[in-house]
Amino acid sequence: MRAQELLGSGPDKKPCPEEEDVEAICHFFNTIGKQLDENPKSRRINDTYFIQMKELTTNPQLAPRLRFMVRNVIDLRSNNWVPRREEVKKNH
């Protein structure tokens, strides 16, 4: 299954993707998002997905827990894929 299918884009786009699809896309980007961003072509494709994911963070039909999960992935990418927990360890 492709990321765009998980996010529910395309002609059959639903107002809110399924919860398990949102979880899957978050795990997908947590796992290989950094590697995908290293290639300019796949980074541009990721940009499109992250625009859609940003829209999910304000979707009232999506459970708050999932909105936060998506927000965490967006934050992770904006922080060059460095988890916040590692930053805390470095500061101490």
Side-chain angles (χ1 to χ4, degrees):
M1 182 169 278
R2 296 187 330 225
Q4 68 189 83
E5 292 168 354
L6 292 173
L7 287 171
S9 62
D12 58 343
K13 182 174 180 174
K14 295 174 255 174
C16 185
E18 299 293 326
E19 286 192 10
E20 55 269 8
D21 291 345
V22 174
E23 285 188 44
I25 199 74
C26 288
H27 290 299
F28 173 80
F29 281 115
N30 278 330
T31 305
I32 64 165
K34 182 178 181 177
Q35 291 91 323
L36 290 173
D37 270 357
E38 289 169 357
N39 177 309
K41 183 179 178 184
S42 59
R43 183 176 180 86
R44 283 193 301 276
I45 295 167
N46 278 0
D47 289 343
T48 307
Y49 295 138
F50 274 82
I51 290 167
Q52 292 176 284
M53 288 172 66
K54 190 165 180 137
E55 291 172 8
L56 287 178
T57 64
T58 58
N59 187 332
Q61 295 178 332
L62 192 64
R65 156 184 100 75
L66 293 168
R67 290 197 305 258
F68 283 111
M69 186 182 280
V70 171
R71 233 177 253 138
N72 285 338
V73 175
I74 292 169
D75 290 347
L76 181 65
R77 186 183 194 215
S78 66
N79 195 32
N80 260 343
W81 302 102
V82 177
R84 272 184 267 153
R85 278 171 265 145
E86 285 186 20
E87 282 181 10
V88 171
K89 288 178 194 170
K90 289 178 188 174
N91 291 334
H92 292 287

